[in-house]
């Protein structure tokens, strides 16, 4: 043997070995199949069962979809076209009903000459949501606002919108897109004003009504500034009371007087003309926007150390969660007016929105309470160590973390509430799933049509709910700073 130790002999490779191909079982489609579909006995059995289910569905329903008819004026004409094309006894979907009655599924019984108004309101909704949902994502914000601008203006032109309103929508959308490139936070002003603008666009009437509603908080803010140096508690109470007094006693007369001086009215549309996805989206967006802050307040109240506040929150949450939504909708439709002064009347859609909001807020409170309970005690102690009072601690430390934890539950509640808007059919409103389909089938031309309307409406609901789910996943990834 050599006396020289092996480690004393230097060796430096001056050429690299060529890369070798991976084994056939560890690359390509074979590797993907082994890892995802056949990784074990249980996974293999489930894969085979899944393939059999897909084969069953395709073999039984493929011909129904493949023989679809899109151009027909009645169900009988659809069946005649299928028989002539594919032979006697063949079956096929009659999507012509969607082509003929799409406007009813989208707008309900809204006046056709005014279809451009809800279209414009829906387009401006994306502008109002941009600084809230996409403030930290300029790329996504540009895509969303760009698509909203192009589609809204194109649809308004197609629906023969007046030139003045077309210019207004173009200025708002294009101007909002330009503003978002410089100071996206400035769009929050539009986000605050949009609810009143949306109500005016959808229901019409005088614009002085929403303006006088907006004057209430302004008067309360002025009162708070005037009394803030005297007493903080007195200023807060007066700031809350002044808007209520203004709305109840003076806002209506002030709006009437202003309208008589300068008319800002557009054609009014009654609530019984709403229907289809216009009704569902109106109720869903309003319920989502109001149930989240109300749910946060209820969650904090339920965790409060004050006995009365905690007891009232517990009673409200448990009562709402223990009562079916249909029962609350019947209360909104039939009984709510009995508890109001004789001169006060609430629109049926407004009553439904109130009940849907309260119902969703109760579930939202429990979701957020779970997020608050998941925070370690050290976060609360850290807020105390910094000398923060209760509201600053909640706003700066506790709630941001609790809401981040609760994102899946919050969005799940939103999705459930949006799908529950179809229950308004039981109080006489035309939801897109049942009432609007029944209205279409009431026509002799489409009597007997069944599956096509349900599949179409279910597909649209799926797209909207899937969009909310994907945004939830995007938000979770963007806020997942704890594991970076």
């Amino acid at each position: 043997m050599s006396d020289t130790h092996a480690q004393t002999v230097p060796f430096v490779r001056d050429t690299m070995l060529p890369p070798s191909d991976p084994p056939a079982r560890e690359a390509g489609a074979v590797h993907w199949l082994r890892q995802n579909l056949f990784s074990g006995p249980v996974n293999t059995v489930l894969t085979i069962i899944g393939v059999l289910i897909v084969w069953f569905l395709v073999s039984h329903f493929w011909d129904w979809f493949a023989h679809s008819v899109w151009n027909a004026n009645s169900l009988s004409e659809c069946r005649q076209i299928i028989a002539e094309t594919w032979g006697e006894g063949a079956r096929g979907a009659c999507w012509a009903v969607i082509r003929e009655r799409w406007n009813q599924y989208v707008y309900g019984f809204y006046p056709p000459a005014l279809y451009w108004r809800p279209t414009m309101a829906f387009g401006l909704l994306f502008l109002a949501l941009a600084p809230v949902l996409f403030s930290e994502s300029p790329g996504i914000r540009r895509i969303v606002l760009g698509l909203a601008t192009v589609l809204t203006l194109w649809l308004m032109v197609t629906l023969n919108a007046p030139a003045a309103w077309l210019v207004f929508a173009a200025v708002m959308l294009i101007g909002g897109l330009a503003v978002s490139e410089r100071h996206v936070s400035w769009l929050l002003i539009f986000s605050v004003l949009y609810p009143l603008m949306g109500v005016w666009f959808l229901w019409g009437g005088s614009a002085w009504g929403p303006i006088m509603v907006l004057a209430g908080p302004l008067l309360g803010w002025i009162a708070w500034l005037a009394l803030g140096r005297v007493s903080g508690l007195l200023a807060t109470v007066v700031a809350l009371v002044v808007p209520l007094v203004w709305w109840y006693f003076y806002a209506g007369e002030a709006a009437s007087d202003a309208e008589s001086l300068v008319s800002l009215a557009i054609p009014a549309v009654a609530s019984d003309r709403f229907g289809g996805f216009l009704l569902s989206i109106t109720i869903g967006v309003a319920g989502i926007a109001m149930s989240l802050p109300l749910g946060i307040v209820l969650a904090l109240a339920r965790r409060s150390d004050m006995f009365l506040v905690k007891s009232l929150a517990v009673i409200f949450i448990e009562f709402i969660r223990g009562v079916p939504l249909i029962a609350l909708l019947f209360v909104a439709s039939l009984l709510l007016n009995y508890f109001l002064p004789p001169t006060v009347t609430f629109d049926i859609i407004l009553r439904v929105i109130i009940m849907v909001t309260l119902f969703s807020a109760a579930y939202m409170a429990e979701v957020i309470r779970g997020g608050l309970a998941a925070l370690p005690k050290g976060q609360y102690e850290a807020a105390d160590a910094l000398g923060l009072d209760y509201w600053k601690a909640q706003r700066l430390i506790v709630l941001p973390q609790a809401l981040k934890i609760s994102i899946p539950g919050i969005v799940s509640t939103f999705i459930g509430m949006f799908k529950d808007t179809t229950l308004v059919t039981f109080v006489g409103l035309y939801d897109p799933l049942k009432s609007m389909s029944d209205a279409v089938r009431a026509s002799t031309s489409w009597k007997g049509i069944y599956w096509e309307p349900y599949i179409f409406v279910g597909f649209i609901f799926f797209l909207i709910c899937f969009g909310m789910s994907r945004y939830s996943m995007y938000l979770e990834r963007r806020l997942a700073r704890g594991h970076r």
Side-chain angles (χ1 to χ4, degrees):
M1 296 182 64
S2 172
D3 295 334
T4 305
H5 195 276
Q7 295 179 354
T8 63
V9 179
F11 176 78
V12 178
R13 180 181 296 276
D14 55 1
T15 59
M16 296 296 294
L17 291 175
S20 302
D21 295 331
R25 299 179 61 183
E26 298 298 328
V30 175
H31 175 69
W32 186 91
L33 290 173
R34 291 183 67 250
Q35 289 293 111
N36 296 278
L37 300 181
F38 303 100
S39 60
V42 177
N43 198 3
T44 302
V45 172
L46 292 177
T47 299
I48 295 173
I49 294 175
V51 170
L52 292 176
I53 292 175
V54 172
W55 175 82
F56 173 82
L57 294 175
V58 171
S59 63
H60 282 72
F61 298 105
W62 172 252
D63 60 334
W64 188 76
F65 284 101
H67 301 165
S68 299
V69 175
W70 288 90
N71 294 309
N73 296 319
S74 65
L75 180 59
S76 59
E77 185 178 347
C78 270
R79 292 173 176 172
Q80 181 181 355
I81 293 174
I82 292 172
E84 293 175 352
T85 306
W86 304 101
E88 197 67 31
R91 61 175 187 169
C94 186
W95 301 112
V97 63
I98 307 301
R99 183 174 177 272
E100 287 287 317
R101 300 298 183 92
W102 66 269
N103 56 333
Q104 285 187 260
Y105 283 103
V106 176
Y107 298 103
F109 299 103
Y110 209 84
L114 301 178
Y115 281 169
W116 59 269
R117 274 177 28 189
T119 302
M120 181 178 64
F122 185 68
L124 293 176
L125 173 64
F126 287 96
L127 182 61
L129 293 177
V132 179
L133 302 182
F134 308 110
S135 60
E136 302 296 330
S137 306
I140 299 177
R141 186 175 65 245
R142 293 189 193 101
I143 295 174
V144 171
L145 290 181
L147 289 175
T149 300
V150 173
L151 292 177
T152 302
L153 296 179
W154 173 69
L155 289 174
M156 290 182 68
V157 171
T158 305
L159 296 171
N160 298 319
W165 286 106
L166 188 61
V167 172
F168 170 80
V171 170
M172 295 298 296
L173 291 169
I174 298 175
L177 182 59
V179 170
S180 67
E181 293 297 319
R182 293 182 174 270
H183 303 284
V184 66
S185 59
W186 289 4
L187 289 179
L188 289 173
I189 299 175
F190 181 78
S191 301
V192 173
L193 298 177
Y194 176 78
L196 297 176
M197 296 176 61
V199 169
W200 184 49
F201 292 148
L202 293 177
W203 275 271
S206 175
W208 288 109
I211 292 174
M212 294 305 167
V213 171
L214 182 62
L218 295 178
L219 293 175
W221 178 66
I222 293 173
W224 183 81
L225 291 178
L227 299 175
R229 297 180 180 180
V230 178
S231 172
L233 179 61
L234 177 63
T236 302
V237 173
V238 172
L240 295 176
V241 171
V242 166
L244 299 177
V245 173
W246 167 258
W247 291 333
Y248 188 80
F249 292 103
Y250 303 107
E253 295 181 0
S256 300
D257 295 340
E259 177 64 23
S260 63
L261 295 175
V262 180
S263 179
L264 296 177
I266 58 178
V269 179
S271 293
D272 59 2
R273 310 290 287 176
F274 283 61
F277 284 102
L278 172 60
L279 178 65
S280 292
I281 292 176
T282 300
I283 297 175
V285 170
I288 288 173
M290 293 188 291
S291 63
L292 180 58
L294 183 57
I296 294 174
V297 172
L298 288 172
L300 294 177
R302 185 157 188 172
R303 291 175 58 87
S304 175
D305 295 330
M306 293 184 284
F307 175 78
L308 181 61
V309 173
K310 182 177 181 178
S311 300
L312 292 176
V314 170
I315 292 172
F316 175 83
I317 292 172
E318 297 303 329
F319 172 77
I320 295 295
R321 293 174 66 200
V323 177
L325 177 58
I326 294 178
L328 296 177
L329 293 176
F330 278 123
V331 169
S333 176
L334 303 174
L335 302 179
L336 188 60
N337 281 342
Y338 290 105
F339 299 96
L340 298 174
T343 58
V344 177
T345 57
F346 276 128
D347 183 87
I348 179 62
I349 295 181
L350 178 59
R351 283 179 273 161
V352 168
I353 289 174
I354 292 173
M355 286 302 176
V356 169
T357 299
L358 296 178
F359 184 82
S360 180
Y363 285 87
M364 189 70 64
E366 290 301 282
V367 171
I368 296 172
R369 189 170 69 92
L372 292 171
L375 288 183
K377 188 178 179 180
Q379 297 296 319
Y380 297 90
E381 294 174 348
D384 295 336
L386 292 173
L388 301 178
D389 60 24
Y390 175 81
W391 293 109
K392 286 185 178 180
Q394 295 295 332
R395 180 171 61 88
L396 299 175
I397 295 180
V398 177
L399 280 178
Q401 300 181 73
L403 292 177
K404 183 181 72 172
I405 296 172
S406 306
I407 286 175
I410 291 173
V411 176
S412 178
T413 304
F414 287 162
I415 292 174
M417 188 202 68
F418 180 68
K419 292 188 296 184
D420 285 344
T421 58
T422 56
L423 296 178
V424 299
T425 185
F426 294 105
V427 293
L429 296 176
Y430 284 88
D431 75 297
L433 185 63
K434 184 182 185 301
S435 297
M436 198 53 62
S437 298
D438 290 344
V440 170
R441 282 192 289 267
S443 170
T444 55
S445 299
W446 301 108
K447 191 174 183 62
I449 198 82
Y450 191 77
W451 289 109
E452 292 85 344
Y454 290 145
I455 293 174
F456 169 73
V457 173
F459 179 70
I460 299 300
F461 268 106
F462 168 77
L463 289 181
I464 297 174
C465 295
F466 182 73
M468 288 192 281
S469 175
R470 299 302 298 180
Y471 178 78
S472 169
M473 298 173 64
Y474 152 77
L475 200 59
E476 289 181 66
R477 291 193 299 269
R478 186 167 69 84
L479 298 177
R481 295 184 173 89
H483 303 286
R484 292 180 179 176

